[in-house]
Amino acid sequence: MQSREAVLEALQEGKDLISSITGLQYTLINNILHARNSERAVWNESELGFDHPPSWLNLKIIEEKPTTT
């Protein structure tokens, strides 16, 4: 993502993010940042900070896959 603000805005909009480096996924739960390793893993409170550009530069929004009926 281009900026810390873009990351925080996406999270506030309810979007989940994924790191292109680590594969960790990030989301907000009760306004607290949480992370998990995979779709099956439990969300745990994250200690990730966005104080340095590498913290947000490798994050991207997880695209939702269309559901089939």
Side-chain angles (χ1 to χ4, degrees):
M1 303 204 75
Q2 296 299 316
S3 68
R4 177 182 187 268
E5 290 75 21
V7 168
L8 297 174
E9 182 178 326
L11 289 168
Q12 288 292 333
E13 290 174 357
K15 297 179 179 164
D16 292 340
L17 305 178
I18 189 167
S19 168
S20 60
I21 304 295
T22 65
L24 287 174
Q25 298 175 11
Y26 296 94
T27 194
L28 282 183
I29 299 174
N30 296 325
N31 276 336
I32 299 171
L33 186 65
H34 285 70
R36 66 179 177 185
N37 288 324
S38 70
E39 287 296 321
R40 295 188 237 276
V42 174
W43 289 105
N44 294 306
E45 193 169 330
S46 174
E47 296 179 13
L48 178 68
F50 297 114
D51 298 326
H52 305 286
S55 298
W56 67 75
L57 289 176
N58 64 27
L59 294 176
K60 58 185 172 181
I61 295 171
I62 297 174
E63 298 297 327
E64 291 189 31
K65 297 178 182 172
T67 57
T68 57
T69 56

